[in-house]
Amino acid sequence: MSDIIDILLSANFWAAALRIATPLIFGVIGALICERAGVLNLGIEGIFTAGAMAGWMAVWLGAGLWGGVLVAALAGGFFGLIHAILTVPLGLSQHVSGIGVTLFATSLSYFIYRTALPDVSSPPRIEAFKPLDIPGLSDLPFIGPALFQQTPLTFFALALVIGTAYVLYRTPLGLAIQAVGDNPSAVESQGLSVYGLRIGAVVGGSAIMALGGAFLTMSAFDAFFFGMVNGRGWICIALTVFASWRPGKALIGALLFGAFDAFQVRLQTEVGSFVPGQVFLMMPYLLSIAALVVVARRADYPRALLVPYFRGQR
Amino acid sequence: MTEPTRDTALVLKLEGITKRFGALTANDGITLDLRKGEILALLGENGAGKTTLMNILFGHYVADEGRVMVSDGAKGVRELEPGSPHAALEAGIGMVHQHFTLAENLSALDNILLGTERLASVRSARAPARQKLQDLMKRSGLTVNLDMRVSQLSVGEKQRVEILKALYRDARVLVLDEPTAVLTPQESDTLFAILKKLSAEGLGIIFISHKLAEVIASSHRVAVLRGGAKVADLATADCDRRQLAELMVGHAISETAREPGTPGATLFSLNTVSAGSGRDALRDVTLDLKSGEILGIAGVSGNGQTMLARVISGLEPLKAGEMQLDGKALAASDARSMIDMGFARIPEDRHHDGIVGAMSVSENLAIEAIRKPENQRFGLLRFADMASRAKEMIKAYDIRCQSEDSPARLLSGGNIQKIVLARTLETEPRVVLAAQPSRGLDVGATSEVHRRLLDARARGAGVILISEDLDELMRLSDRIAVIHRGELSSADPAETLDRGTLGLRMAGHSTEDAA
């Protein structure tokens, strides 16, 4: 028992939780924007991979770190555009298109990586983002190492949560995105373009998802590996439901998952001698399923989610 | 009503509008004009092309021929860009669709604001909008709680939000598609009072309707559409009900009348039945149906009628209470048992629940009796026998189809309903449940439905008729009960009731003192 309290009291644990949560924050916010507009984006897993690869490769080829972030966002936006064209004007199944985008984006990323680096055995490294030293805050006892020794992308993710909430609830664009995910004919009868809004939301949301991937290769690690996304995209889809499509709750969900994950790693070293390691690896996923069961039964789904819109049909 | 003077400025003109969907000509060279401050009724049966015409006006469809001209005072008369709701809104045309176009997850205020601001603005300017709306509400009498989420508003309130949406954009023309379809008679009266007030202030109003009474009471001018063409354009003061009805239908009409009947003993009853949850739930419903009578169930849509029909159809488990047939509680109330006990079910959504669209007419006719020996032997279907029986029923019920092998979905709504009638009534059922049986049907098909229900009654069956059409209920029912928020009133003889009383009960005034 005291082991558990020790873990929870270490600044290092909270720092890890926030670090693990960062790519998930990008992913959930991106997925939430797509789904608020009525489009499920199962391309997320592939878009993470594409963002991770594109951002890393841009830096490896000589771009600045923020240049790499921009390239990752563009790559995400590109795959988002494919998904948007297939599902919005063409009205194809969002599930099928999303899985297709995931397979395509993942394979294309691996292909480009292998083509550029045919013979390397150990992945080349880049100079990744360093933890930001914020004068005053970073030096505070406990709080400083726990919260304020993160890389710039983590702070960017937190700012993005606030920005998304503001846009969604306070601006005409946000109202239109909420409306198009609930009743597209409301949007059309008020003279706005359903397709424009949906395509825009999917492309924008996908660009944000890709930043989650970029965080992996440019902050958490400094290289690109196969299989490094490892299901994080799927977790974000579940967290979106958990968050009831709200940015604030999305942040909480991502932090909870990050905390579980950080906790299981530490618990493993404490009691790993008599419990198999796989049990710990399973824990965050198990808890997210449990949380989903509790929350999702009452979830307030966007009413037009998964429903394609065709003009002149009702 | 007094008519606006002839020289009042023209605000809108449709010139030779033609629209075809495949082989069907939905609008055939229709010309129509509207003046400032005028209320124009667009009268016609279902499928006459009214909604199509208004959707062209509002830019949801593009006409194959013809054009829409708008006049906005200073800029003079100009052609409206086709196929653009945005252009229609800019030109001061507001439309209230029959199926509301509201985002339920936003507040009333946000729905009204939607699309009125530049999307790139950094902040939604709610405060000045609220001010303008409060003035509008005061002037027009359309009061709504602006901060309430639309999902929590009643149907009447949602309609007011829709009208406010148009007024907020300073509409000079307001189009309403079947505005009273979802309202109680009292709510309809209020609506028309508001529309008259708005028209007196200069708003041009077009409302679509197939109800003669409200057209005569509330319009200055009436344009009648039939089969996609305009057949008349008259000052309302110059015409009467009979003349309009004949123009609408195209021939003299005979209405099916009910002969006084002799109801027998109680056949089927519900005792304090509760079922379902949420808005459409049933609460402690008690009902008794005698043989040889038609029991009408009136109510505004969404008050539990659908749940009542599902319960009697055997599609919904009871939460409390019981159903009795011949004074004995039903042992089982799943769909199959109900059919076996002699219940005929005419579902509300005939396309969805009444037929299997991809299957043939013949299969759809046999589908409820598929286990009976005449349809199967050793588990194998007897297609030849099914087809020959289908041919007889197609003849007897005048089902218009290419053959008994055509897929049922290719048939018109009226003919689909005839399939349902043939299938359910041919077995001489004891209890007939008819949910909205004439909804969306033309006059001919409607009178056929009514005749069949009266035949079943004459044969001694008990008929439960759920309808939102008070005229239909008054004409066919021996007794009428009213359903409101899932509670059913006691049934009173139809002769002792009038539209006013029923309207009050439909609004919930007899069971509780809700304002």
Side-chain angles (χ1 to χ4, degrees), chain B residues 312-325:
Chain B
I312 301 174
S313 301
L315 299 174
E316 188 75 28
L318 304 188
K319 281 189 168 165
E322 62 167 10
M323 293 195 274
Q324 291 185 342
L325 186 66

Side-chain angles (χ1 to χ4, degrees), chain B residues 387-406:
Chain B
S388 69
R389 247 192 319 281
K391 277 184 192 149
E392 287 164 24
M393 285 199 254
I394 286 171
K395 206 168 161 203
Y397 285 79
D398 188 28
I399 302 170
R400 309 270 169 89
C401 57
Q402 287 198 331
S403 82
E404 73 279 3
D405 289 330
S406 346

Side-chain angles (χ1 to χ4, degrees), chain A residues 245-280:
Chain A
W245 295 269
R246 291 178 177 277
K249 286 187 180 172
L251 175 63
I252 294 171
L255 287 174
L256 269 179
F257 188 90
F260 287 145
D261 206 17
F263 184 69
Q264 63 90 6
V265 172
R266 280 155 186 76
L267 199 61
Q268 221 170 19
T269 59
E270 301 278 350
V271 294
S273 51
F274 53 92
V275 183
Q278 286 79 359
V279 173
F280 297 103

Side-chain angles (χ1 to χ4, degrees), chain A residues 166 170 182-183 188 190 311, chain B residues 59-60 102 104 122 124 169:
Chain A
Y166 179 84
R170 290 277 178 268
D182 184 84
N183 184 0
E188 180 170 311
Q190 289 283 61
R311 276 196 72 186
Chain B
H60 286 310
L102 296 170
E104 304 231 323
V122 288
S124 209
R169 289 173 176 255

Side-chain angles (χ1 to χ4, degrees), chain A residues 169-245:
Chain A
Y169 299 123
R170 290 277 178 268
T171 68
L173 178 64
L175 294 183
I177 289 175
Q178 289 191 60
V180 82
D182 184 84
N183 184 0
S185 25
V187 169
E188 180 170 311
S189 73
Q190 289 283 61
L192 298 172
S193 162
V194 174
Y195 290 176
L197 281 164
R198 285 192 164 171
I199 293 173
V202 173
V203 170
S206 302
I208 292 173
M209 291 170 184
L211 299 185
F215 175 86
L216 295 177
T217 48
M218 299 167 66
S219 265
F221 307 98
D222 51 10
F224 177 79
F225 326 101
F226 294 124
M228 77 184 304
V229 174
N230 195 19
R232 285 183 176 85
W234 306 137
I235 288 293
C236 292
I237 294 292
L239 283 175
T240 311
V241 182
F242 173 82
S244 302
W245 295 269

Side-chain angles (χ1 to χ4, degrees), chain B residues 297-310:
Chain B
I297 310 282
V300 180
S301 113
N303 271 289
Q305 295 94 322
T306 305
M307 188 54 66
L308 180 62
R310 286 178 60 82

